[in-house]
Amino acid sequence: PVNICQEIVGTKEGQVSGTLRAKIVKQIVSALCVNTMYPCEHYLSAAKDLVSRYPQLKDKSRTHCASWHASIKHRARNIRRRMPAGVNEVDTRKAQAKAHRERRAALPCNQQCRPKNAVRNVFPAASRGTGEDEASVQGQVDLMKKEMKKTVWDQKKVQDAMNRTYKARRAWLNTENLTVAVVTDRYPALARAQEIQQEFRRQTGRDAQEGLAAFLERSTKALYELFRMKSSSKQKAKQILEAAENCPEEGKTLLANGALTLLPCLLKERSNNLVPCHRSRAPST
């Protein structure tokens, strides 16, 4: 609709209001559900098309559209849940799901709790500095420091330097008792959230952001029970829960983001100590 397009055009990146988001998601789901109430294979492509057409709607996820994908999926699912009997497609799926639950309930206890097969994105191991001597490592460190002093620094150069110095860096970290200040002074890239995620990927071959998102989704209920028990997070947790209840389409996203903000309270830390909100110089790509 023209009115929604006008609102989007006037929106700055990262400042999408909850009302506008709800309008957009509602329109997308309505369009997807014209021919079927289960357009599941189109959720992701719709989210990608949206941020491709309107870049100001990009989120901070790796795909730039993860929150939109989740919102579209959740709204479609909520519509089906609230739908009264009479739509054959939905009634059939609900009956199948009910029959499946009943079959599982009839199984012996030791067969009811089989974990679902976990799907993990495994990334190829990065170059870890094979053959780099001490002088070469120091040269890479100096190059990285010099590059990151620039207003717009070359991300590829910095990542290459971090890859080449990986082995030496891990040995240094494992053999000495170092403070964060000392580590980031020698490797300033590790003060950046993006490079911290890259370091995690170098060590594990997995994406930290995806793992964190899965943890938050899996543990939301337990986390909020803990938040409500702590005086430092009780009030904020209550506000987030109320907001999620008032906006069911965005409920899961609100709860996950809120949990990430409140997690430091369980460690007797302030949220802004562990979730910095400052601006930093941007890398060139």
Side-chain angles (χ1 to χ4, degrees):
V2 175
N3 62 319
I4 296 179
C5 291
Q6 289 177 338
E7 284 189 63
I8 294 174
V9 171
T11 299
K12 294 182 180 180
E13 186 173 349
Q15 298 182 9
V16 184
S17 67
T19 304
L20 176 58
R21 176 181 283 271
K23 289 179 183 177
I24 294 170
V25 172
K26 182 179 179 181
Q27 289 295 327
I28 291 175
V29 173
S30 296
L32 291 177
C33 293
V34 170
N35 297 316
T36 175
M37 289 305 300
Y38 293 88
C40 307
E41 67 274 15
H42 299 301
Y43 296 154
L44 182 57
S45 59
K48 287 182 176 179
D49 289 345
L50 176 67
V51 298
S52 175
R53 184 173 180 181
Y54 300 105
Q56 62 267 48
L57 299 181
K58 289 182 179 180
D59 57 33
K60 294 183 179 180
S61 67
R62 187 166 55 87
T63 60
H64 302 301
C65 65
S67 63
W68 291 105
H69 180 204
S71 297
I72 292 167
K73 180 174 68 175
H74 294 155
R75 178 169 177 81
R77 184 169 58 190
N78 288 335
I79 289 173
R80 293 192 297 267
R81 282 177 176 172
R82 295 194 295 265
M83 189 171 286
V87 179
N88 291 335
E89 182 184 22
V90 178
D91 292 346
T92 301
R93 293 286 190 101
K94 286 182 177 179
Q96 290 173 349
K98 182 179 179 181
H100 177 69
R101 289 194 299 270
E102 290 174 350
R103 285 196 301 271
R104 287 188 64 83
L107 292 172
C109 293
N110 62 348
Q111 296 182 32
Q112 288 185 19
C113 300
R114 291 179 181 175
K116 294 181 179 179
N117 293 330
V119 178
R120 293 179 176 176
N121 291 331
V122 179
F123 300 88
S127 169
R128 296 184 177 179
T130 304
E132 299 281 350
D133 56 22
E134 187 175 346
S136 176
V137 168
Q138 186 59 48
Q140 292 293 335
V141 170
D142 293 340
L143 182 149
M144 175 176 30
K145 287 182 177 180
K146 182 179 178 180
E147 184 65 32
M148 293 193 70
K149 287 180 181 178
K150 298 177 182 178
T151 304
V152 179
W153 45 276
D154 191 323
Q155 186 178 8
K156 290 183 179 179
K157 284 185 180 180
V158 171
Q159 284 191 3
D160 181 61
M162 290 293 286
N163 288 341
R164 289 173 179 272
T165 56
Y166 177 82
K167 277 191 173 181
R169 181 167 60 257
R170 297 314 306 173
W172 179 58
L173 291 170
N174 291 334
T175 55
E176 297 189 36
N177 187 16
L178 304 167
T179 64
V180 173
V182 171
V183 174
T184 54
D185 180 63
R186 180 167 174 78
Y187 295 98
L190 289 176
R192 312 278 176 166
Q194 186 175 8
E195 191 53 45
I196 292 173
Q197 292 178 19
Q198 287 289 345
E199 190 78 347
F200 182 88
R201 187 177 295 184
R202 290 185 190 99
Q203 287 187 265
T204 66
R206 298 193 177 97
D207 189 291
Q209 208 166 15
E210 289 183 1
L212 178 60
F215 163 74
L216 291 174
E217 184 174 350
R218 184 174 63 249
S219 308
T220 298
K221 184 177 179 180
L223 286 171
Y224 276 91
E225 287 178 358
L226 292 173
F227 295 149
R228 293 168 72 179
M229 293 168 62
K230 298 277 290 185
S231 58
S232 58
S233 57
K234 184 177 181 179
Q235 187 61 33
K236 287 185 179 179
K238 181 181 177 182
Q239 292 172 355
I240 294 169
L241 287 167
E242 289 175 352
E245 187 176 349
N246 294 332
C247 187
E249 294 86 358
E250 298 296 316
K252 284 197 173 182
T253 303
L254 285 170
L255 290 173
N257 291 340
L260 183 59
T261 304
L262 293 176
L263 270 174
C265 296
L266 300 181
L267 306 175
K268 296 184 179 180
E269 295 281 355
R270 291 186 303 173
S271 297
N272 55 5
N273 284 347
L274 302 183
V275 188
C277 300
H278 58 78
R279 292 184 178 179
S280 58
R281 289 175 291 185
S284 62
T285 53

